[in-house]
Amino acid sequence: MSDAGKYKVIEEQVTVGDLVCGGSQDAYIWRPTESTGKELFPLISYAHGWGGGGDKIKYSGSMNSLVASAGYIVIATMSAPTKYCIEETLD
């Protein structure tokens, strides 16, 4: 998929830590790759929903990449891969 917005996008897997819903302590981040250094990009925390964590978070990559190409940073945790977590707002 090509980026539809102003920015080219990079996808990274990073360790966040302190996630409470089990599974991975990592997250995926989609962000603009180019910047003048003076730009500020808003952050969107993507909530994957019940059972959508873990490696399944990659299924939302096209959508999150498209959002990032418009000048946003999108982060999606990989926690809670197989079950509902009442405390997911803490992640």
Side-chain angles (χ1 to χ4, degrees), residues 24-43:
S24 177
Q25 294 291 304
D26 289 356
Y28 273 91
I29 296 178
W30 293 263
R31 63 176 177 83
T33 59
E34 303 166 352
S35 173
T36 62
K38 297 179 181 178
E39 298 164 298
L40 298 175
F41 299 111
L43 176 70

Side-chain angles (χ1 to χ4, degrees), residues 4-83:
K6 176 180 175 181
Y7 300 97
K8 293 184 179 186
V9 173
I10 187 168
E11 176 183 317
E12 304 173 284
Q13 184 174 342
V14 299
T15 299
V16 177
D18 293 328
L19 301 175
V20 299
C21 286
S24 177
Q25 294 291 304
D26 289 356
Y28 273 91
I29 296 178
W30 293 263
R31 63 176 177 83
T33 59
E34 303 166 352
S35 173
T36 62
K38 297 179 181 178
E39 298 164 298
L40 298 175
F41 299 111
L43 176 70
I44 296 174
S45 177
Y46 176 77
H48 55 69
W50 190 351
D55 288 335
K56 292 179 237 157
I57 202 70
K58 295 176 191 176
Y59 297 138
S60 63
S62 294
M63 175 187 65
N64 289 332
S65 182
L66 183 64
V67 171
S69 76
Y72 293 87
I73 298 170
V74 181
I75 186 167
T77 65
M78 296 175 67
S79 65
T82 59
K83 62 180 173 115

